[in-house]
Structures are given as structure tokens and as C-alpha cells.
Amino acid sequence: MLGILKQLALMNATRKVLKISSKELAEKINQSLQTAARKLKELEDEGLIERMLYKDGQYIVITEKGKDLLYKEYLDYKRIFEGEDAIILKGRVFGGVGEGAYYVSLEGYRKQFIEKLGFDPYPGTLNLKIPKEQMFFRKRLDQEEGITIEGFSTEDRTFGDVKAFKCRIDGMEGAIVIPQRTHYPADVLEVIAPVKLREHLGLEDGDTVEIEVIL
């Protein structure tokens, strides 16, 4: 299915409404007419394309969801051929309200941190305020897939997914965690590590730190 989406994108269906018959597509992908028609229906059902049928033919455009899927595929190939991708973010340390310790300690999250990030996090987060000139790089994290820490439910409440990115701070391995449901503004990041970063790095409120984020 991804191959069909790629072919449509190569025909500019991400930039314009493309007029193409199932027969034409079948010839492009070297498949039968029935297979091409079925694949288009599957793409439509998945919300990856929008398809309009008129008397004069079939019109197709790739949706934002479809573009996102292609972009993720691009990032995978980029990593395969170019190796590890990383960005440098700078942020200013500030004091939180202690919520990080609670969430990091929840067993539903902690187990996944150990399994997917490779370390048992200290029960707390280092809170960083990202300056305006760094927001371009901060926003890129929203576009990247990251590592999904899945949400879970208890008898009392439901906890949402968390997106994580491995990172390094002054040589110390850690991870940026971005709750998918959060009250924090976009210019705030939380960092976890196997140690209490404030003490390990001798940080105080107002200090600026540099983080190498692995994408």
C-alpha cells in the first residue's frame, strides 16, 4: 500500500489533485486493474488519500495523514543511508511543581522507559525553558516519530501516550519526554536520566544547558 502512495506522490498528488484512472495506475505499478482499484480503495478507507469520482474520471489527492506516513518513511531511509541524526537544543533550567516525579515513578511508564530507553530513570525530571531562537528545533520534535511510551489505565484514571527521544547532556545519557496530553506550553521540555541531573551536573535555576537530541 505504501508503494502505491509513493507512486501517487511521485505524480505530484501531494501538491495537486491528480486525475488518474485505475487502469493508468495499474500500468504504473505493473499490477492488475483489480489490484490497483483495490489498493486505492484501501488507501481511501485508511484516510491516506481523498478520492473523487466524476463523469470525466477519477481524481485523487494525498491527505495530511498520507503525507505524514510518507515523511516517516523518508526519515527511516534517511537514517539508513545517513546514520544517526541529531539536533542540538539549548534550554534554561527552571523549577517544576514535582509532577515529573509522580509520572516517572508510575510502573506503567517506568517499565517502558527501561525497555525502550535502556535505563531506569530517576524519579523526577529536569525542566527546561526553550528560548524563541531555538523553537524551530523544538518544533521539529513534534514532526518526528520518536519513541512511543504507551499510555495505560488504572482503576482511578487513564494516562496518555508519551513521546520520547534519547539524548545526551554533558555526556550523560537521558531522554526528552513529551506527554501527548500536557498543560505545559510548547517551549517547555522535560528530561529524564538514570541520575538526578541537577545534582549530577551541578545545575541551578537559570543555568543554560545544551542537549544533543537523537532523532
Side-chain angles (χ1 to χ4, degrees), residues 64-134:
E64 288 302 317
K65 184 179 178 181
K67 291 178 187 177
D68 288 344
L69 182 61
L70 288 168
Y71 185 68
K72 288 177 182 177
E73 186 74 3
Y74 156 74
L75 292 175
D76 285 341
Y77 280 111
K78 190 171 185 290
R79 292 187 184 99
I80 290 170
F81 291 107
E82 298 180 13
E84 182 178 271
D85 192 9
I87 59 173
I88 303 298
L89 268 174
K90 291 183 180 180
R92 194 174 297 276
V93 178
F94 73 95
V97 294
E99 286 187 356
Y102 169 68
Y103 287 107
V104 174
S105 299
L106 290 171
E107 199 61 19
Y109 287 138
R110 182 171 167 266
K111 278 183 176 180
Q112 295 183 73
F113 289 146
I114 295 171
E115 176 187 347
K116 298 179 180 182
L117 302 179
F119 63 85
D120 188 357
Y122 170 83
T125 61
L126 179 69
N127 300 305
L128 300 176
K129 183 86 168 178
I130 308 302
K132 290 181 180 179
E133 62 270 19
Q134 290 277 307

Side-chain angles (χ1 to χ4, degrees), residues 138-157:
R138 164 63 187 89
K139 288 178 180 178
R140 185 174 169 187
L141 299 185
D142 294 328
Q143 299 172 341
E144 297 284 342
E145 183 175 4
I147 300 167
T148 300
I149 308 298
E150 296 177 357
F152 58 95
S153 297
T154 65
E155 292 182 358
D156 302 319
R157 58 177 291 191

Side-chain angles (χ1 to χ4, degrees), residues 12-40:
N12 276 335
T14 58
R15 299 183 178 90
K16 67 177 185 179
V17 178
L18 175 68
K19 182 183 180 182
I20 183 170
S21 68
S22 296
K23 182 181 178 182
E24 289 175 284
L25 181 61
E27 292 172 354
K28 289 279 187 183
I29 63 175
N30 197 28
Q31 298 282 343
S32 69
L33 173 61
Q34 292 79 7
T35 298
R38 187 180 73 252
K39 293 296 184 182
L40 284 176

